[in-house]
Amino acid sequence: IVFVAGLSRVGACRTRVGGGEGAHYPLNSMASLCFRLQTFTAWCNSHLRKAGTQIENIEEDFRDGLKLMLLLEVISGERLPKPERGKMRVHKINNVNKALDFIASKGVKLVSIGAEEIVDGNAKMTLGMIWTIILRFAIQDISVEETSAKEGLLLWCQRKTAPYKNVNVQNFHISWKDGLAFNALIHRHRPELIDYDKLRKDDPVTNLNNAFEVAERYLDIPKMLDAEGEFMTYVSCFYHAFSGAQKAETAANRICKVLAVNQENEHLMEDYEKLASDLLEWIRRTIPWLENRAPEKTMTEMQQKLEDFRDYRRVHKPPKVQEKCQLEINFNTLQTKLRLSNRPAFMPSEGRMVSDINGAWHKLEGAEKGYEEWLLNEIRRLERLDHLAEKFRQKAAIHESWTDGKEAMLTQKDYETATLSEIKALLKKHEAFESDLAAHQDRVEQIAAIAQELNELDYYDSPSVNARCQKICEQWDALGSLTQSRRESLERTEKQLESIDELYLEYAKRAAPFNNWMEGAMEDLQDMFIVHNIEEIQGLITAHDQFKSTLPEANKERESIQAIQAEVQKIAQYNGIKLAGNNPYTTITPQSIDKKWEKVQQLVPQRDQALQEELARQQSNDHLRRQFANQANMIGPWIQNKMEEIGRISIEMNGTLEDQLTHLRQYEQSIIEYKPNIDQLEGDHQLIQEALIFDNKYTAYTMEHLRVGWEQLLTTIARTINEIENQILTRDAKGISQEQLHEYRTSFNHFDKDHSGVLHAEEFKACLISLGYDVENNKQRTGIMDGDDFRALLISTGNSLGDAEFARIMGIVDPNNSGAVTFQAFIDFMSRETTDTDTADQVIASFKILAGDKNYITAEELRRELPPDQAEYCIARMAPYTGPDAVPGALDYMSFSTALYGESDL
């Protein structure tokens, strides 16, 4: 059809022939009628071709009503009643009536158009009916900013052609005659089809032909024009063609957005799984090391274990604490994003839940605490063992030195050839030996007791200790038997012997215990000691001072014993007696007594020095205790205070969420800046451990307690920041206003009586009621309730809140049946109830547009409408479509869409 700009208007008046109420179309001449027939035929065929058919003669082909009903189904997208297939007139009239009834059901009043006229092939009535259909389904559906159909279409044309020169659309006749407006519409939507800059305003025929041919070839718009040059019908075809493309583009964009969210969530899930797996693997490797209680033999080896444990606490564990905290934050953020996008909650692989990680972490800390206690106990045990082993060796050496030669002495037969005086001397000497033997009994018992304690403490060299102790005990038993045997022999000859010199005897009796006292004193003065505090060393110093106070009396005893020996010499000289050798009753000489006394005198100041050095060490240890305690007594309350402040900040509502987030991050920075104090305290604690200090009376805080508190503080502030971030995410995604969020927080805090950060079921119920939430009707009440209204609401909802509806709500906000509702779960619920969200239905509708209203979609259509990566994402995950209308390669986009939202098992 070639438009002629000067098309004559024969008969300017409009003739009302029929159609909808107020519907007019011109039939001024036979030429106009023919033109209208051609135009309407082309318009009808542009739609009927979608159903695989078309018409040749508009007044003939609609007479049986079959193609008329099909045309209405195509352009309305609805099903009409089943047509009658008979060829009788009544069947045709019934079919046409069904079509006319359908048009009337759309609010169109048909005037002077009846089924008989259509069946009879009345051209004017048929054209009137088609014009009514065009008005209702091609033009009247157009709505731009709530204007009328014609005005809306005109406004749409003006907006689309506004940027183009020489185009000024003011109506549907003169504004289009130069053809530029048609070309501008096409170029605006499909610029690759039109070279607009080459068109000339003074060549309307070329412009119109170009636009009509392009529209018919590429846009499936038939060549048709209004007989009077008013192009509204033809222009409406452009509107529908391009608005359909716009819908497809909008649908594709919506699907891309949904798929992008899904892909991002899948990446976050993979990251969580890997981080959780790595952390659990580290815990799995670390726990056996901490549970290993295989003791070492020496202090050096155990101290190396303690140093390895310190490296673990200082170097290896802190990054894992951060990983664990970050893992919980990532998990909470992911769950928030999933809730905000109406996706099912993320369920990690079995054994990788946050609760599983917390359980493994709790087991790790239990093993850690037990390991440190075991290390320190083992070090104490080894220290005690070293002390006891050295004490055993000293006492054993002294005893072995004393018993050397005693068996030979007890077994000699010297009394058989001795004189009476010699026999008496031997008997007295033996009595002195028995006294000495009894005095050594205590040392033997001490040696056996020390050996027994070493066995009980699992001393690594117990076999050699036991062998040496056994030898000493057996030798001691032998000495006892030999002593008894020799006494019996001496007593048999005692009647034949004279008593020996009383002075020798007195000397021997007094010298032996005094000599034993000196040996004991020397042993005590050289005895090793181990103390853990100032009180213990001061006790040893006091005991030593008491010992020193006995030395003058001991010296008098020494002088008295030496005086006895001097008296013997004096008597012998006076009586001219020649002494034959040493005192026959004892081997203890005055020289040996003086030598041992001199040794005691030397050992006393040495003991003084050792005790003073230990006192200085204990004073240094006490300084370390005070130094640690002073810091710990400040840090402990500081951590507790910060924990309480964070708790208050988390329930207060000062300023916007961004203000709160800024405040919390500044607060977090101040906590991080406090870390040097913790490090300094760790250094003090290490000095205490290296000094083997095991108690501290100046503070109730241990390093373990402060470490746990510090880690909890860092975790708590990080979690609180994450909670605010998630609230911002929820607010922005759900369109919640700051005032709404403030109202929700105020109500939540009001019923959170114990400031625990959660509401129990009854508290949550009261919180919902306080916000006017009608659980029974599942909608938000509006307005402010007075006291009577509130009591009425309590009465009316009190029961229903505890029944099925409240159980449903609790299932949403507390899916784990913990009986507690967090603030995040509360605002998620409220946002779902009060705001719109994207749904599976929306995604299905979008795919339906891309599929051309089919119940399935093909890979080719997906690749044409979506970006490559997202198209392939859909193709890989969509199941084959198995409906009755399936074709080869058909894909099921409906089950795929519902699966995105967790509503199917796909």
Side-chain angles (χ1 to χ4, degrees):
I1 300 171
V2 178
F3 173 80
V4 181
L7 183 66
S8 64
R9 296 188 169 192
V10 180
C13 66
R14 295 175 179 263
T15 303
R16 181 181 181 90
V17 176
E21 183 177 0
H24 292 73
Y25 63 92
L27 292 175
N28 308 103
S29 65
M30 181 59 68
S32 179
L33 177 60
C34 293
F35 192 80
R36 178 65 71 173
L37 286 171
Q38 287 180 314
T39 300
F40 285 5
T41 300
W43 183 87
C44 291
N45 282 335
S46 70
H47 292 287
L48 287 172
R49 277 195 295 273
K50 298 176 182 178
T53 187
Q54 62 181 17
I55 62 173
E56 298 295 335
N57 189 315
I58 196 167
E59 65 264 33
E60 291 294 328
D61 293 348
F62 283 147
R63 290 179 63 184
D64 60 2
L66 295 177
K67 289 188 177 180
L68 177 60
M69 294 178 71
L70 182 60
L71 173 65
L72 290 171
E73 286 187 346
V74 171
I75 63 178
S76 69
E78 301 180 29
R79 297 289 295 179
L80 270 68
K82 186 177 180 181
E84 298 179 12
R85 295 292 180 180
K87 296 184 178 180
M88 297 178 63
R89 178 178 176 83
V90 66
H91 296 148
K92 297 177 181 181
I93 291 175
N94 288 340
N95 288 339
V96 174
N97 275 328
K98 291 178 182 179
L100 296 179
D101 290 342
F102 178 77
I103 296 171
S105 70
K106 299 302 178 181
V108 179
K109 293 182 180 181
L110 297 170
V111 180
S112 303
I113 297 179
E116 290 79 4
E117 287 84 353
I118 305 301
V119 173
D120 291 338
N122 187 314
K124 293 183 178 180
M125 291 301 175
T126 302
L127 290 176
M129 178 187 66
I130 297 301
W131 179 246
T132 299
I133 293 173
I134 291 173
L135 285 176
R136 173 59 182 85
F137 294 100
I139 300 176
Q140 190 170 328
D141 279 346
I142 301 170
S143 178
V144 180
E145 296 183 352
E146 304 300 327
T147 63
S148 67
K150 182 176 180 180
E151 291 175 352
L153 181 60
L154 185 63
L155 179 59
W156 179 79
C157 294
Q158 290 171 342
R159 287 179 175 174
K160 295 300 182 181
T161 61
Y164 293 86
K165 63 182 179 179
N166 297 326
V167 178
N168 183 17
V169 177
Q170 298 297 327
N171 49 50
F172 283 110
H173 41 90
I174 298 175
S175 299
W176 302 86
K177 288 183 177 181
D178 60 8
L180 291 178
F182 286 113
N183 284 278
L185 272 182
I186 297 172
H187 185 269
R188 180 66 182 270
H189 294 92
R190 297 288 298 275
E192 75 278 7
L193 301 179
I194 298 289
D195 189 352
Y196 186 82
D197 293 335
K198 290 185 177 180
L199 301 178
R200 302 199 322 271
K201 186 174 180 62
D202 59 358
D203 189 3
V205 174
T206 299
N207 297 341
L208 287 166
N209 283 332
N210 182 65
F212 297 160
E213 289 170 1
V214 169
E216 185 173 45
R217 181 177 180 182
Y218 295 103
L219 304 178
D220 196 27
I221 298 175
K223 296 179 179 179
M224 57 180 178
L225 287 175
D226 188 295
E228 288 190 317
E230 295 181 1
F231 308 114
M232 186 165 62
T233 305
Y234 188 54
V235 173
S236 70
C237 294
F238 283 86
Y239 174 85
H240 287 292
F242 293 134
S243 64
Q246 183 65 31
K247 289 180 182 178
E249 182 180 353
T250 302
N253 289 338
R254 182 183 297 118
I255 291 171
C256 289
K257 182 178 180 182
V258 171
L259 296 180
V261 170
N262 238 52
Q263 289 171 311
E264 180 186 1
N265 290 339
E266 287 179 359
H267 290 316
L268 292 175
M269 293 174 191
E270 292 171 1
D271 293 342
Y272 173 89
E273 292 280 356
K274 183 179 185 307
L275 186 57
S277 176
D278 293 345
L279 183 58
L280 286 169
E281 174 62 20
W282 178 81
I283 294 174
R284 184 192 65 78
R285 293 196 313 269
T286 305
I287 287 178
W289 174 66
L290 293 172
E291 290 178 341
N292 180 15
R293 300 294 188 272
E296 301 295 344
K297 294 181 179 179
T298 65
M299 280 282 289
T300 301
E301 292 171 321
M302 285 306 298
Q303 285 173 339
Q304 182 58 49
K305 279 196 170 188
L306 181 60
E307 186 60 32
D308 293 342
F309 180 71
R310 288 181 184 139
D311 285 342
Y312 157 79
R313 295 302 296 268
R314 290 193 304 261
V315 178
H316 302 294
K317 185 185 177 187
K320 299 302 178 182
V321 173
Q322 294 299 320
E323 287 181 17
K324 175 177 175 291
C325 178
Q326 190 60 47
L327 192 69
E328 293 181 7
I329 290 173
N330 291 351
F331 181 84
N332 292 335
T333 301
L334 174 58
Q335 297 293 44
T336 298
K337 289 184 175 181
L338 290 171
R339 285 194 300 272
L340 295 179
S341 58
N342 282 341
R343 300 312 193 271
F346 169 52
M347 290 297 294
S349 302
E350 183 176 358
R352 296 179 184 173
M353 293 287 291
V354 172
S355 58
D356 296 325
I357 294 170
N358 287 334
W361 191 265
H362 181 71
K363 184 178 180 182
L364 173 75
E365 292 184 329
E368 179 180 305
K369 185 176 185 301
Y371 187 69
E372 186 175 32
E373 291 175 353
W374 174 77
L375 282 175
L376 296 176
N377 288 333
E378 270 300 292
I379 289 175
R380 293 191 189 100
R381 184 180 71 83
L382 289 176
E383 182 185 39
R384 173 68 176 164
L385 283 174
D386 288 346
H387 171 70
L388 288 176
E390 182 60 28
K391 192 171 185 178
F392 174 84
R393 287 190 287 270
Q394 287 185 2
K395 287 185 178 293
I398 292 172
H399 178 77
E400 289 166 347
S401 175
W402 178 84
T403 58
D404 184 39
K406 292 298 188 290
E407 289 187 16
M409 181 269 289
L410 290 173
T411 56
Q412 62 184 345
K413 304 295 184 178
D414 54 341
Y415 55 86
E416 293 180 350
T417 58
T419 63
L420 180 61
S421 60
E422 290 173 338
I423 291 300
K424 286 186 177 290
L426 289 176
L427 185 58
K428 297 300 181 182
K429 179 180 179 181
H430 190 70
E431 290 177 353
F433 172 76
E434 287 180 325
S435 176
D436 197 7
L437 183 68
H440 279 80
Q441 175 69 32
D442 182 63
R443 181 179 292 111
V444 174
E445 292 175 353
Q446 290 178 5
I447 291 171
I450 293 172
Q452 179 63 29
E453 188 171 0
L454 287 171
N455 278 307
E456 292 173 352
L457 293 175
D458 196 22
Y459 182 54
Y460 78 95
D461 199 22
S462 288
S464 65
V465 170
N466 292 336
R468 191 172 183 181
C469 180
Q470 182 67 24
K471 182 178 179 181
I472 289 173
C473 290
E474 290 174 354
Q475 185 185 41
W476 183 255
D477 291 338
L479 286 177
S481 299
L482 291 173
T483 299
Q484 180 64 27
S485 176
R486 183 172 177 81
R487 165 171 277 284
E488 292 172 356
S489 298
L490 290 173
E491 286 178 347
R492 284 194 301 269
T493 59
E494 184 179 12
K495 295 178 181 178
Q496 304 171 7
L497 301 176
E498 295 283 337
S499 63
I500 60 175
D501 189 356
E502 291 296 330
L503 289 174
Y504 271 137
L505 182 57
E506 182 182 359
Y507 174 91
K509 288 182 177 181
R510 294 178 67 177
F514 183 73
N515 182 72
N516 192 59
W517 175 86
M518 288 191 296
E519 288 180 349
M522 288 188 292
E523 183 178 340
D524 289 341
L525 289 171
Q526 297 177 85
D527 187 19
M528 295 179 64
F529 55 83
I530 178 171
V531 294
H532 297 95
N533 53 55
I534 292 179
E535 289 75 10
E536 291 179 2
I537 188 61
Q538 287 176 338
L540 291 179
I541 291 174
T542 300
H544 183 60
D545 290 340
Q546 291 174 351
F547 168 76
K548 288 193 293 185
S549 67
T550 65
L551 290 179
E553 189 65 29
N555 189 42
K556 289 181 180 179
E557 176 65 13
R558 182 187 66 82
E559 291 173 348
S560 177
I561 292 172
Q562 297 292 47
I564 293 174
Q565 182 65 24
E567 183 67 18
V568 168
Q569 296 294 337
K570 182 179 179 182
I571 293 173
Q573 292 175 0
Y574 183 78
N575 294 296
I577 299 172
K578 185 177 181 181
L579 297 174
N582 296 324
N583 190 323
Y585 306 120
T586 181
T587 59
I588 301 172
T589 65
Q591 293 78 15
S592 67
I593 290 176
D594 287 343
K595 184 176 181 181
K596 290 180 179 179
W597 178 255
E598 182 180 354
K599 180 65 174 176
V600 169
Q601 295 295 98
Q602 292 173 353
L603 290 174
V604 168
Q606 293 177 7
R607 183 73 168 183
D608 280 331
Q609 182 179 356
L611 290 173
Q612 290 303 317
E613 289 175 352
E614 182 61 26
L615 176 62
R617 190 175 77 86
Q618 288 302 325
Q619 288 172 339
S620 174
N621 288 353
D622 201 58
H623 172 72
L624 291 177
R625 288 187 182 96
R626 292 178 184 273
Q627 180 174 296
F628 176 86
N630 290 339
Q631 279 291 98
N633 290 337
M634 289 190 296
I635 291 175
W638 183 87
I639 291 175
Q640 181 62 30
N641 181 53
K642 294 301 178 185
M643 289 290 287
E644 293 173 357
E645 287 183 8
I646 292 172
R648 287 196 297 271
I649 291 173
S650 66
I651 65 173
E652 290 174 354
M653 299 167 293
N654 297 326
T656 65
L657 288 177
E658 285 75 7
D659 294 338
Q660 295 177 40
L661 185 61
T662 300
H663 185 198
L664 281 171
R665 284 176 174 159
Q666 292 172 349
Y667 203 79
E668 180 185 38
Q669 185 60 35
S670 69
I671 291 174
I672 293 173
E673 291 172 354
Y674 196 76
K675 181 64 163 57
N677 295 291
I678 304 296
D679 295 338
Q680 179 182 347
L681 192 65
E682 285 282 6
D684 294 343
H685 179 64
Q686 181 171 343
L687 293 177
I688 282 180
Q689 287 192 326
E690 290 172 352
L692 300 178
I693 299 172
F694 305 112
D695 60 340
N696 195 336
K697 65 182 180 180
Y698 302 113
T699 181
Y701 295 101
T702 66
M703 195 64 234
E704 174 66 24
H705 176 255
L706 294 176
R707 285 193 200 107
V708 171
W710 175 252
E711 291 170 1
Q712 288 177 345
L713 179 61
L714 291 177
T715 301
T716 299
I717 186 65
R719 284 175 178 166
T720 304
I721 289 174
N722 181 244
E723 180 182 350
I724 298 299
E725 290 174 337
N726 286 341
Q727 290 178 27
I728 292 174
L729 275 175
T730 302
R731 182 200 66 193
D732 294 343
K734 300 298 185 179
I736 301 174
S737 67
Q738 188 68 35
E739 292 73 17
Q740 282 180 301
L741 203 58
H742 186 275
E743 180 184 7
Y744 295 158
R745 174 54 87 178
T746 300
S747 297
F748 189 91
N749 290 347
H750 176 76
F751 291 101
D752 182 15
K753 304 297 185 182
D754 57 358
H755 303 298
S756 62
V758 298
L759 298 181
H760 299 294
E762 291 303 317
E763 295 171 334
F764 177 60
K765 181 193 303 182
C767 183
L768 286 179
I769 294 173
S770 73
L771 290 170
Y773 188 87
D774 187 349
V775 178
E776 186 175 8
N777 296 321
N778 193 22
K779 64 183 180 180
Q780 286 294 115
R781 292 185 183 271
T782 58
I784 301 174
M785 295 181 291
D786 59 22
D788 293 337
D789 290 338
F790 186 74
R791 285 189 292 274
L793 180 61
L794 284 173
I795 294 171
S796 65
T797 60
N799 294 327
S800 62
L801 279 171
D803 298 332
E805 179 60 19
F806 185 63
R808 180 191 72 81
I809 295 174
M810 286 300 293
I812 295 173
V813 298
D814 181 24
N816 297 325
N817 295 322
S818 64
V821 181
T822 66
F823 180 67
Q824 186 63 44
F826 168 63
I827 62 174
D828 283 346
F829 171 75
M830 295 304 293
S831 65
R832 278 198 299 272
E833 296 296 312
T834 59
T835 60
D836 294 327
T837 58
D838 61 306
T839 64
D841 290 340
Q842 290 181 348
V843 178
I844 291 173
S846 299
F847 273 117
K848 192 173 184 68
I849 291 173
L850 299 187
D853 288 336
K854 299 191 300 294
N855 292 324
Y856 60 85
I857 196 167
T858 66
E860 179 183 0
E861 289 170 331
L862 287 170
R863 292 190 176 103
R864 184 178 68 239
E865 300 292 348
L866 298 179
D869 60 332
Q870 296 191 335
E872 298 306 321
Y873 179 85
C874 294
I875 293 168
R877 287 164 172 76
M878 281 188 184
Y881 176 71
T882 58
D885 53 342
V887 299
L891 299 175
D892 186 353
Y893 62 79
M894 293 187 184
S895 60
F896 171 77
S897 299
T898 55
L900 290 177
Y901 295 84
E903 298 175 12
S904 75
D905 296 328
L906 181 61

